[in-house]
Amino acid sequence: MANNLIEFRNLRTNFYTSSGVVKAVNDVSFSIKEGETLCVVGESGCGKSVTAMSLMRLVSPPGKTEGGQILYKGQDLLTLKERDMRHIRGNEIAMIFQEPMTSLNPVLTIGDQITEPLLLHKGMTRRDAKKRAIELIELVGIPRAAKIFDSYPHELSGGMRQRIMIAIALSCDPKLLIADEPTTALDVTIQAQILDLMRNIKSEFNTAIMMITHDLGVVAEMADHVVVMYAGKVIEEAPVHELFANPKHPYTQGLMRAKPILNQRQDRLYTIPGQVPNPVELGNNCYFNDRCEHCMSVCVDKQPVLTTYENKHKAACWLYEKGGEVS
Amino acid sequence: MSEAVVHSNSVNAKPPTKKPASPMRLALREMRKNKFAMAGLIVLVLMFLFCFIGPMFSPYSMDDAMNIRNANKAPSADHWMGTDKVGRDVLLRVMVAGQTSLMVGIVAMLVTVAIGSTLGAISGYYRGWVDTIIMRLADIIMSIPSLPVLIILGAALSELKMDPANRIYLVMFLIGFLSWPSLARLVRGQILMLREQEFMQAAEVLGLRDRRKIFRHLLPNTVPIIIVVGTLAVAGGILMESVLSFLGLGVVPPTPSWGNMISAANSMIEFQKRPWLWIPPGVCIFITVVSINIMGDGLRDALDPKSKR
């Protein structure tokens, strides 16, 4: 098996808001292997994006990463000097965002923006950078690359801009590409193209992808391994086939049931009852207990820990804990 | 076609500064529709030609010896705008004075833009104590009435017997230095908003240095504001120079400037009997400042996507 590229160990990122401390990322541990696509799934506000931003060390106040380690090739990113971190950003770890319409600087040409990391991290000359940039534009499947090089973001469509974002992210051959809901803002046909593109890139360059999404369709399409987050915690983690075949955590089961299925008449889509708990005052219980169909007394009293089961399947739920009732 | 591009872009873009890219070209196209602004621009160009090219066609030169016998002549075929009290041709002096005044206006604007946009950008980008220091400094400079300061400085310089030729430069820098705070505030406000945009997050993710983020990614987005304020600052600079020179504190003779030419009007006889001495420079100041201001307004309309009709 390939080596771990990134390893999150007990990561904690808190936000100090006026109404209290929000544990946006609460004791999260998982790892990404080289060349693997890992999907992080969860609903809005469950800490997916904050996990990614913590990895980039770009959590801005009032947020603060306060505990744990993020090991990249065995080196803790959280203790790295800002200068060294800057060298990793864009060069070794690249990121693309949800909103392609606003992720490009409106006053700089596409060429300016693609060549920027090349000039910065690879020390290329302007001419080499331009050549490489045009290759990259072609690589992400945009024709007339030389013309696009000189155009401005507003002249491109959303899908093209997202391709350009991918081209920028790929410019320095990163080891890890973080994609924060890369297809959410695109329409469905373009979504499929972008996902195809990312899959090709992954197989071609052996880039690991950390994909943040709330779309289980995307997960099924892309992932090798899936991490399910809820209220800042990892509640389930499994290889993709295992997760879809055999979801363990009631929350994951709920997500699966809430998915529309083609060619099947459903009067009403299933929804998980209740609300995400207020992130400010979370007690020492299972955060899902009040929405869970299988809630037991232990769920209200104690927090389950992430436990490994068969087939590399991990879940944090008392249902599977032998003797959980007792302890 | 171009309108469609401009329009769709300004709808999609949340921030007002996200203006159509290839920004200058689109803005200029927009401005060309504004007849007033174009008229201002044309008048301004003519004024520049008048001041910088005009002297070449004059039969007189600035080095001509004074000719007291020829003094205080009313406009005639020889001297279209008459002569002053030492017999110099007023038309030639108005043109050369224009060079000084326009130069003062432009250099003062450059100083304003350089200081104002840099400090404004730094202030808005770093926030916190850096912001506090710079903005309080701006407040202090804004709250000092500039005229008394310039008068005191002018008087002090006269005492120090500063070389009149160098004094122009000092005036330029002083005017620029006293007028940067308003630009700094505007730029800061823009940067505060822009730095939260997604494209800045994307720039951050690329691992860029702060310097590059500020000056290459953020400042270009504030160019519309800088252009507008800069244009108006030229007018302000010209006016300020005129005021100071009129009071004898700015550009001092023998170097002519529109301001110190008008100071001829501070004697009753010349004011009443020899209007050719002060009307031409006065009209020049008026025309220049008005056309710059009209052009500035036109530029503001052209560069601001929110004000599209």
Side-chain angles (χ1 to χ4, degrees):
Chain A
M1 197 68 217
N3 293 327
N4 281 349
L5 184 67
I6 289 275
E7 198 177 340
F8 293 90
R9 281 193 192 158
N10 309 94
L11 181 72
R12 284 174 192 278
T13 300
N14 297 336
F15 282 77
Y16 292 88
T17 66
S18 50
S19 49
V21 182
V22 175
K23 294 178 177 167
V25 177
N26 187 356
D27 199 11
V28 161
S29 306
F30 62 89
S31 54
I32 305 172
K33 295 189 174 61
E34 281 173 18
E36 175 188 67
T37 302
L38 179 118
C39 279
V40 183
V41 201
E43 57 199 287
S44 308
C46 71
K48 301 170 299 202
S49 297
V50 178
T51 308
M53 290 317 267
S54 306
L55 169 57
M56 283 303 222
R57 283 233 326 246
L58 291 174
V59 178
S60 48
K64 234 176 134 187
T65 302
E66 292 189 311
Q69 288 178 310
I70 300 174
L71 299 179
Y72 171 73
K73 292 180 171 170
Q75 181 181 28
D76 186 2
L77 293 182
L78 295 179
T79 56
L80 224 53
K81 284 202 199 85
E82 182 58 28
R83 253 182 62 204
D84 300 326
M85 192 61 215
R86 219 166 32 220
H87 186 71
I88 287 186
R89 278 183 211 135
N91 193 13
E92 315 240 342
I93 305 178
M95 187 162 178
I96 54 180
F97 293 95
Q98 182 175 11
E99 198 43 81
M101 301 310 275
T102 53
S103 294
L104 289 166
N105 195 328
V107 298
L108 299 177
T109 63
I110 300 299
D112 284 337
Q113 302 188 51
I114 298 187
T115 49
E116 190 142 45
L118 292 170
L119 299 171
L120 180 78
H121 293 300
K122 297 289 179 215
M124 283 191 186
T125 61
R126 222 155 251 291
R127 178 179 303 189
D128 290 348
K130 178 170 181 180
K131 232 174 85 192
R132 175 86 180 116
I134 290 178
E135 282 170 24
L136 282 163
I137 298 174
E138 278 164 354
L139 177 79
V140 295
I142 302 180
R144 297 178 298 128
K147 187 147 178 280
I148 295 293
F149 185 88
D150 289 320
S151 41
Y152 285 87
H154 79 270
E155 298 171 85
L156 308 185
S157 67
M160 276 162 100
R161 288 190 215 184
Q162 193 61 294
R163 286 167 193 267
I164 295 294
M165 289 309 295
I166 294 174
I168 293 174
L170 288 179
S171 57
C172 293
D173 295 324
K175 295 280 171 296
L176 175 69
L177 178 65
I178 304 174
D180 191 348
E181 307 204 15
T183 56
T184 310
L186 303 172
D187 62 62
V188 186
T189 46
I190 308 293
Q191 275 189 18
Q193 292 174 11
I194 295 288
L195 293 180
D196 275 343
L197 172 64
M198 291 183 67
R199 246 195 323 243
N200 290 344
I201 283 157
K202 185 192 140 195
S203 56
E204 202 164 325
F205 298 96
N206 197 31
T207 311
I209 299 177
M210 174 176 169
M211 179 103 128
I212 296 168
T213 181
H214 52 238
D215 185 341
L216 285 173
V218 172
V219 174
E221 189 103 339
M222 297 289 293
D224 298 321
H225 205 81
V226 187
V227 168
V228 184
M229 285 183 75
Y230 186 78
K233 279 193 154 305
V234 174
I235 54 158
E236 185 158 3
E237 188 192 329
V240 64
H241 294 298
E242 170 68 18
L243 185 90
F244 276 86
N246 183 19
K248 279 196 181 313
H249 199 283
Y251 176 66
T252 318
Q253 290 168 356
L255 287 181
M256 300 283 178
R257 280 168 64 191
K259 197 163 53 103
I261 301 165
L262 275 183
N263 303 326
Q264 197 171 32
R265 275 192 79 87
Q266 276 167 303
D267 283 340
R268 197 165 248 262
L269 216 48
Y270 173 80
T271 49
I272 301 174
Q275 296 277 318
V276 185
N278 178 0
V280 176
E281 283 142 14
L282 290 172
N284 187 25
N285 49 15
C286 175
Y287 296 156
F288 193 60
N289 72 61
D290 54 342
R291 302 173 74 183
C292 184
E293 294 169 348
H294 311 287
C295 183
M296 302 176 289
S297 62
V298 62
C299 300
V300 189
D301 297 334
K302 277 182 80 172
Q303 202 163 65
V305 286
L306 202 62
T307 318
T308 311
Y309 300 96
E310 70 288 344
N311 298 336
K312 295 184 198 151
H313 199 138
K314 294 183 192 173
C317 183
W318 289 120
L319 278 177
Y320 307 97
E321 208 72 38
K322 286 199 193 76
E325 218 89 34
V326 187
S327 60
Chain B
M1 169 60 201
S2 78
E3 259 200 56
V5 171
V6 170
H7 188 70
S8 71
N9 192 58
S10 58
V11 168
N12 290 336
K14 283 168 281 175
T17 44
K18 167 141 180 192
K19 55 190 189 304
S22 50
M24 289 300 110
R25 229 169 309 141
L26 286 178
L28 285 180
R29 207 176 295 161
E30 189 67 23
M31 189 172 149
R32 226 169 283 155
K33 290 185 214 146
N34 185 338
K35 292 204 185 72
F36 254 140
M38 286 317 284
L41 182 65
I42 290 167
V43 170
L44 211 59
V45 171
L46 292 178
M47 186 57 86
F48 267 87
L49 292 177
F50 171 69
C51 293
F52 286 89
I53 312 284
M56 296 176 192
F57 296 98
S58 170
Y60 308 100
S61 120
M62 290 302 283
D63 304 326
D64 285 349
M66 293 177 195
N67 184 350
I68 303 295
R69 247 187 303 161
N70 213 6
N72 293 334
K73 286 277 195 318
S76 65
D78 279 348
H79 298 280
W80 293 359
M81 289 183 185
T83 59
D84 66 2
K85 60 177 179 280
V86 290
R88 294 173 295 195
D89 182 52
V90 173
L91 177 59
L92 176 66
R93 280 182 66 77
V94 166
M95 295 191 283
V96 177
Q99 296 179 7
T100 317
S101 291
L102 291 172
M103 279 298 287
V104 170
I106 289 168
V107 175
M109 175 272 283
L110 292 178
V111 173
T112 305
V113 166
I115 303 180
S117 55
T118 311
L119 288 185
I122 289 174
S123 179
Y125 183 80
Y126 288 106
R127 302 185 290 190
W129 61 269
V130 179
D131 184 28
T132 310
I133 290 177
I134 293 176
M135 281 302 116
R136 291 303 79 77
L137 189 67
D139 289 344
I140 291 171
I141 292 178
M142 275 181 125
S143 58
I144 299 175
S146 51
L147 205 48
V149 173
L150 289 169
I151 289 173
I152 292 167
L153 278 167
L157 290 174
S158 300
E159 277 305 299
L160 292 170
K161 305 252 181 307
M162 193 170 179
D163 183 8
N166 292 337
R167 226 173 121 152
I168 303 173
Y169 301 109
L170 207 84
V171 171
M172 297 174 183
F173 281 95
L174 273 178
I175 295 172
F177 186 75
L178 288 174
S179 50
W180 65 262
S182 56
L183 176 63
R185 280 190 175 173
L186 287 172
V187 169
R188 168 180 174 269
Q190 286 289 308
I191 301 274
L192 277 177
M193 184 194 70
L194 287 165
R195 74 191 297 284
E196 303 301 330
Q197 299 285 311
E198 285 222 354
F199 67 80
M200 282 317 292
Q201 209 177 20
E204 196 130 32
V205 160
L206 289 181
L208 302 184
R209 288 164 193 286
D210 288 354
R211 191 165 12 115
R212 206 165 163 79
K213 277 183 281 189
I214 296 174
F215 292 107
R216 188 168 158 81
H217 285 251
L218 286 173
L219 262 186
N221 278 290
T222 64
V223 161
I225 285 194
I226 296 178
I227 288 181
V228 172
V229 172
T231 319
L232 301 179
V234 175
I238 291 174
L239 279 181
M240 186 58 100
E241 182 276 330
S242 303
V243 171
L244 289 177
S245 301
F246 180 81
L247 296 173
L249 302 162
V251 179
V252 287
T255 314
S257 85
W258 287 336
N260 68 24
M261 286 184 77
I262 296 183
S263 65
N266 64 8
S267 102
M268 209 53 200
I269 297 170
E270 296 195 300
F271 183 70
Q272 286 182 322
K273 298 265 164 76
R274 294 169 197 138
W276 63 83
L277 289 182
W278 55 268
I279 287 180
V283 169
C284 283
I285 293 175
F286 174 77
I287 291 176
T288 311
V289 171
V290 166
S291 54
I292 290 177
N293 282 338
I294 289 175
M295 198 184 78
D297 279 345
L299 271 175
R300 181 177 3 233
D301 290 345
L303 292 168
D304 182 0
K306 277 192 303 188
S307 67
K308 293 269 152 59
R309 294 151 294 269

